[in-house]
Amino acid sequence: MRILAGLAALALAAPVMAQDLPLGCYSRDYSADHLKQNPAQNVASLRLNFLRATEETGGAPVMEVMVRLADQGRARAEGMGGMMLTQTAYCFNEGKGWICGVECDGGIMEIGRMSGDMLDVKTSNFWVGNTDECGGAFDLAEGRGTTTYRVKKAAASACLGG
């Protein structure tokens, strides 16, 4: 009887795990006041668009990332203040939760807490922007350690063109 109950629990859990990755657009825009109070912050706005797996994506769900850098902090120091950068990451669930990674060692973003229409994503290394080399043009991590971004469910139009 215990074995049947365990198998039933696994069968019920599998579809839920498959739905753990959020779909659609999530966004965050930081106000001028917030940026003024946090002069080292590099991100002015962030858009994450989670798309279902398709044949074109090799069967993996995709996270499209659009970031407008603030004209301050490391972004300004690196001559990238105010720039809009994009990146595509492929998402996987290896049993511990969802992560979305950039090919060619461009880093990962972990999908953290989902609560209502809010979503937390964490990274200590996630590169955005296209370059001719591996990785990207700018690392979204704010300083040393892990950076968490809290984004909110948004209309699909918020993720079209940033």
Side-chain angles (χ1 to χ4, degrees), residues 25-144:
C25 180
Y26 288 78
S27 69
R28 177 75 185 260
D29 295 307
Y30 294 96
S31 69
D33 285 341
H34 175 90
L35 292 171
K36 186 176 180 180
Q37 292 173 14
N38 298 278
Q41 182 170 326
N42 299 300
V43 174
S45 70
L46 177 65
R47 304 283 187 272
L48 304 175
N49 193 24
F50 295 94
L51 304 172
R52 294 183 190 278
T54 65
E55 284 184 36
E56 294 164 349
T57 64
V62 170
M63 178 180 68
E64 298 175 333
V65 179
M66 292 157 277
V67 178
R68 185 172 49 84
L69 297 176
D71 191 18
Q72 63 184 38
R74 182 171 43 88
R76 177 185 279 175
E78 293 181 15
M80 301 181 83
M83 291 181 76
M84 177 67 79
L85 302 174
T86 61
Q87 186 59 270
T88 300
Y90 296 91
C91 302
F92 303 92
N93 187 332
E94 296 181 349
K96 296 180 182 178
W98 287 94
I99 60 168
C100 300
V102 178
E103 291 183 318
C104 199
D105 202 23
I108 63 166
M109 197 173 283
E110 297 176 44
I111 309 305
R113 184 180 68 171
M114 291 181 273
S115 177
D117 62 352
M118 302 296 280
L119 173 67
D120 289 350
V121 294
K122 300 184 296 185
T123 187
S124 58
N125 177 38
F126 189 91
W127 290 82
V128 293
N130 295 325
T131 65
D132 291 334
E133 300 176 18
C134 286
F138 193 85
D139 183 3
L140 288 185
E142 300 276 355
R144 300 190 189 277

